[in-house]
Amino acid sequence: MLFSAHSSTLRDATLLVLTAAVIGTSSANASAPEDSAPTDKKAGASLKASLKYVDGSKGEIPSWSDIRVTIVRDDRQLALDQPLPTSANVSYHATPKLKAIDLDNDAEPEVLIDVYTAGFERQRRTVVYRKDGNAYRADVTDWGTGGYRLANVVGKKDVEFLSADSRVPALFDSTVRGPLRVMAYDGGKLTDVSRQARSELVRDAKRHRRELARARRTSKDPRPELAAYAIDLVRIGQVAKAQAEIRASGRRDELRGSAKSFARKLDRTMVKWGYAKRKVLAGGL
């Protein structure tokens, strides 16, 4: 990422992005995003995206505000100093991060801008700019405290967002890592495709099982890890194992209530947030 000062408080952050078929040609500033995931090698549009913002990094609470994006596609300026949506127009503690990648393998790169919002809580939020006719439209996703990474784990040509769902541990006033969600992007919409990434869910379940054991050894509240572990087990088809873990925690008096009430709460959560189509845990307890 290249920076050049325009005044004492205003900076440009410029990133030149080309599709995979064009990356590597002799262009003065051509470079791929450092953390971009592999994309299909199709011929596509050249894209130049830049950010402007008011630099408040020297303040008591470091912040970067009035964030604006300019996007040039094939030498046509389709967005000029366009303000980011209000919900993502200030970043605290970290400068806005700019990258571009073809998220849905249509030879049309999207522009991604990552910010930290909500002050000390450091909520992570991403603005995705997608081409819509002769303009770029913004979609905002709130990742909570979990953040995300881009990877191809489903096996198709697209890349997916992998994120830990911080809403689950927040149910127990905890900030531990939540269960994995794998989200596919298409036309401005994110769809949960976690069940198509079984190996990732199995790996995530093993991690939460270890963290659950550690919480029990250290007398920490094990409920957040138990909830994440049970959600992973349900998604890989091991409902009986999830129920057995909940019963075991109930016998240990770890749930601050009965095993059945914990399972009911988790059932409601899974249905509400799209982890399961129906309630599956409480009926077996």
Side-chain angles (χ1 to χ4, degrees), residues 190-209:
L190 285 173
T191 303
D192 191 332
V193 294
S194 302
R195 290 178 182 269
Q196 299 177 42
R198 180 181 173 86
S199 61
E200 294 294 325
L201 293 181
V202 169
R203 186 177 297 112
D204 196 60
K206 289 179 179 178
R207 174 173 178 168
H208 287 296
R209 183 182 63 193

Side-chain angles (χ1 to χ4, degrees), residues 14-263:
T14 304
L15 173 65
L16 181 61
V17 181
L18 307 178
T19 58
V22 186
I23 289 172
T25 58
S26 56
S27 179
N29 295 319
S31 62
E34 292 180 1
D35 56 354
S36 64
T39 58
D40 187 34
K41 294 187 177 180
K42 295 179 179 178
S46 65
L47 197 72
K48 182 178 181 179
S50 62
L51 291 181
K52 288 182 179 179
Y53 43 75
V54 176
D55 186 351
S57 58
K58 302 300 183 183
E60 182 177 350
I61 301 176
S63 65
W64 293 259
S65 60
D66 192 20
I67 308 168
R68 296 170 179 266
V69 64
T70 294
I71 303 173
V72 179
R73 180 187 182 275
D74 286 343
D75 298 323
R76 292 182 62 198
Q77 195 170 66
L78 300 186
L80 174 61
D81 284 349
Q82 185 171 321
L84 268 61
T86 303
S87 61
N89 200 253
V90 181
S91 184
Y92 296 93
H93 303 286
T95 56
K97 186 178 181 182
L98 173 70
K99 58 178 172 281
I101 186 170
D102 184 356
L103 292 171
D104 45 12
N105 195 40
D106 62 354
E108 190 66 60
E110 283 75 35
V111 174
L112 282 66
I113 303 165
D114 298 327
V115 299
Y116 285 75
T117 65
F120 288 112
E121 294 181 11
R122 302 193 185 189
Q123 301 290 312
R124 299 169 186 256
R125 195 163 287 171
T126 298
V127 185
V128 178
Y129 279 91
R130 57 186 172 87
K131 187 174 179 295
D132 182 9
N134 290 322
Y136 276 83
R137 307 299 179 191
D139 304 297
V140 181
T141 297
D142 194 338
W143 305 108
T145 59
Y148 73 92
R149 65 183 176 93
L150 290 170
N152 183 342
V153 298
V154 171
K156 299 179 181 179
K157 292 180 179 179
D158 305 343
V159 296
E160 295 86 37
F161 290 92
L162 279 67
S163 178
D165 191 347
S166 61
R167 296 174 301 175
V168 173
L171 292 171
F172 308 97
D173 298 320
S174 173
T175 58
V176 303
R177 183 179 179 276
L180 174 70
R181 296 200 91 175
V182 181
M183 311 294 288
Y185 179 91
D186 185 19
K189 296 181 180 179
L190 285 173
T191 303
D192 191 332
V193 294
S194 302
R195 290 178 182 269
Q196 299 177 42
R198 180 181 173 86
S199 61
E200 294 294 325
L201 293 181
V202 169
R203 186 177 297 112
D204 196 60
K206 289 179 179 178
R207 174 173 178 168
H208 287 296
R209 183 182 63 193
R210 293 193 298 269
E211 293 301 323
L212 174 59
R214 182 177 294 113
R216 286 169 171 164
R217 289 196 306 269
T218 58
S219 299
K220 292 174 62 176
D221 184 358
R223 293 177 301 162
E225 295 294 354
L226 175 61
Y229 183 36
I231 287 173
D232 282 343
L233 290 174
V234 167
R235 289 186 292 175
I236 60 177
Q238 297 184 10
V239 174
K241 189 172 182 178
Q243 292 170 328
E245 286 290 348
I246 294 171
R247 280 195 294 268
S249 280
R251 289 193 296 268
R252 293 167 178 261
D253 292 326
E254 295 173 340
L255 301 179
R256 303 181 187 179
S258 70
K260 189 142 190 151
S261 63
F262 182 89

Side-chain angles (χ1 to χ4, degrees), residues 265-283:
K265 180 177 182 177
L266 206 51
D267 271 336
R268 291 193 299 268
T269 297
M270 288 192 294
V271 172
K272 179 180 178 181
W273 292 342
Y275 285 107
K277 293 182 179 179
R278 59 187 179 86
K279 300 174 181 178
V280 296
L281 290 174

